[in-house]
Amino acid sequence: MAHLFDSRPPRSALVDIARDFHARGWMSGTSGNLSARADGEHFWISASGKPKGGMQESDFLLIRIVDGAVIERLTPQDRPSAETCVHRIIYALFPDAGACLHGHSVEACLAADHAELRSESLNLPPLEMLKGLGIWEQDPQVRLPLFENSLDVEQIAEAIRRRFSEAVPAVSALMVRAHGATVWGQSLQEAYDRFEVLDFILSYLARTDRCR
Ligand SMILES: [Zn+2]
């Protein structure tokens, strides 16, 4: 099957994914952030404060994973996304992560309300669609890592680093309560597909009272 996004330069593909996420209501206004690994030590990420419906290739900055330094930017005043620290943690912890996508959706926020306050996971319903997240089990019981939101994004990133350093999550995704989901994959196409599948599952969960 043709991999729509993987046969193209990452910034070109990221522009299309931004338009798609915006059209679906997953990156309203300037919210959300998208990144793709450039090599073993760097990744491209969306600049802060750009309307997601009109992103251009020049709206992405090259970041060094180890310290977050900006290595390349076409517009001098551009700053990397405020949530760059979360992407850095994902690339640093998971060397095979090739892309990381973060959006804000109504359904994801509603679904997260099924979990108790301060719960560290959200139980996902045993839907066929879980196969799209790499779960091939009969009647699977999958927990989506859940983090409490904070105005201090570094605090969220540190909580993610601490928890994922101890145990690799069953799915390459996480949810920040009242905020949104982050999904990563080996390639942009895989991350995109998984974000779409997770949104289906969270949309289902948001509309049902059934919880496990
Ligand atoms: Zn966010």
Side-chain angles (χ1 to χ4, degrees):
M1 195 169 79
H3 283 219
L4 190 62
F5 298 124
D6 294 340
S7 58
R8 298 161 44 193
R11 278 179 292 172
S12 163
L14 285 165
V15 163
D16 280 358
I17 292 175
R19 291 210 179 102
D20 180 272
F21 271 38
H22 176 262
R24 289 167 177 245
W26 298 343
M27 292 205 315
S28 299
T30 60
S31 71
N33 32 82
L34 310 174
S35 73
R37 187 189 284 276
D39 55 39
E41 296 172 11
H42 307 93
F43 62 93
W44 293 103
I45 192 162
S46 44
S48 179
K50 303 279 179 177
K52 294 304 188 299
M55 296 285 284
Q56 321 247 335
E57 289 190 33
S58 56
D59 293 329
F60 290 85
L61 296 83
L62 189 64
I63 304 294
R64 191 160 57 203
I65 295 170
V66 69
D67 59 3
V70 177
I71 302 301
E72 191 179 324
R73 72 181 115 203
L74 286 179
T75 312
Q77 62 268 35
D78 276 356
R79 287 177 297 109
S81 161
E83 297 178 45
T84 298
C85 50
V86 173
H87 295 250
R88 277 179 58 211
I89 296 292
I90 298 302
Y91 290 119
L93 284 179
F94 307 121
D96 64 346
C100 183
L101 310 177
H102 168 67
H104 301 174
S105 81
V106 172
E107 284 77 12
C109 291
L110 289 171
D113 288 341
H114 280 278
E116 306 255 325
L117 197 61
R118 313 222 174 274
S119 169
E120 293 199 342
S121 62
L122 177 64
N123 295 337
L124 298 181
L127 302 177
E128 169 74 12
M129 283 293 262
L130 282 170
K131 287 180 183 169
L133 297 179
I135 305 292
W136 290 70
E137 290 170 25
Q138 190 70 38
D139 196 25
Q141 299 193 18
V142 181
R143 293 163 181 267
L144 177 69
L146 179 64
F147 295 85
E148 296 302 321
N149 196 27
S150 170
L151 267 184
D152 181 356
V153 185
E154 293 278 355
Q155 199 176 315
I156 302 174
E158 176 55 21
I160 293 169
R161 190 197 64 73
R162 216 177 312 121
R163 208 185 305 165
F164 288 178
S165 298
E166 287 171 10
V168 176
V171 289
S172 61
L174 65 90
M175 174 70 200
V176 180
R177 189 194 292 276
H179 182 159
T182 297
V183 177
W184 58 99
Q186 292 186 4
S187 65
L188 260 175
Q189 187 68 52
E190 185 175 83
Y192 176 85
D193 291 343
R194 289 186 172 184
F195 196 100
E196 195 170 33
V197 165
L198 181 64
D199 183 74
F200 178 102
I201 294 167
L202 294 179
S203 295
Y204 173 92
L205 187 53
R207 292 177 210 178
T208 183
D209 291 333
R210 195 153 58 88
C211 212
R212 39 191 290 167

Short mmCIF file of all heavy atoms in Angstrom, two decimals, residues 32-33 83 102-104 179, ligand 1:
data_model
loop_
_atom_site.label_atom_id
_atom_site.label_comp_id
_atom_site.label_asym_id
_atom_site.label_seq_id
_atom_site.Cartn_x
_atom_site.Cartn_y
_atom_site.Cartn_z
N GLY A 32 -2.26 22.60 18.99
CA GLY A 32 -1.67 21.36 18.50
C GLY A 32 -0.26 21.57 17.97
O GLY A 32 0.17 22.71 17.73
N ASN A 33 0.46 20.48 17.82
CA ASN A 33 1.82 20.56 17.29
C ASN A 33 2.22 19.22 16.68
O ASN A 33 1.79 18.16 17.14
CB ASN A 33 2.82 21.00 18.38
CG ASN A 33 2.42 20.52 19.75
OD1 ASN A 33 2.69 19.39 20.11
ND2 ASN A 33 1.73 21.38 20.52
N GLU A 83 5.10 23.03 23.28
CA GLU A 83 5.08 21.65 23.77
C GLU A 83 6.21 20.82 23.17
O GLU A 83 6.16 19.58 23.19
CB GLU A 83 3.69 21.04 23.51
CG GLU A 83 2.62 21.80 24.30
CD GLU A 83 1.20 21.29 24.05
OE1 GLU A 83 0.99 20.09 24.06
OE2 GLU A 83 0.31 22.13 23.85
N HIS A 102 0.36 15.74 17.94
CA HIS A 102 -0.43 16.11 19.11
C HIS A 102 -1.56 17.04 18.69
O HIS A 102 -1.32 18.09 18.08
CB HIS A 102 0.47 16.81 20.14
CG HIS A 102 -0.29 17.48 21.25
ND1 HIS A 102 -1.01 16.77 22.19
CD2 HIS A 102 -0.44 18.79 21.57
CE1 HIS A 102 -1.57 17.62 23.03
NE2 HIS A 102 -1.25 18.85 22.68
N GLY A 103 -2.79 16.65 19.03
CA GLY A 103 -3.95 17.48 18.70
C GLY A 103 -4.88 17.61 19.89
O GLY A 103 -4.73 16.92 20.91
N HIS A 104 -5.82 18.53 19.77
CA HIS A 104 -6.81 18.76 20.83
C HIS A 104 -8.18 18.47 20.23
O HIS A 104 -8.56 19.13 19.26
CB HIS A 104 -6.81 20.23 21.26
CG HIS A 104 -5.50 20.73 21.78
ND1 HIS A 104 -5.30 22.05 22.10
CD2 HIS A 104 -4.34 20.10 22.05
CE1 HIS A 104 -4.07 22.22 22.54
NE2 HIS A 104 -3.45 21.06 22.52
N HIS A 179 -7.13 18.20 27.66
CA HIS A 179 -6.14 18.83 26.78
C HIS A 179 -6.13 18.11 25.42
O HIS A 179 -6.75 18.59 24.48
CB HIS A 179 -4.79 18.78 27.51
CG HIS A 179 -3.67 19.44 26.78
ND1 HIS A 179 -2.53 19.88 27.39
CD2 HIS A 179 -3.50 19.69 25.47
CE1 HIS A 179 -1.72 20.41 26.51
NE2 HIS A 179 -2.29 20.30 25.32
ZN ZN B 1 -1.55 20.76 23.44
#
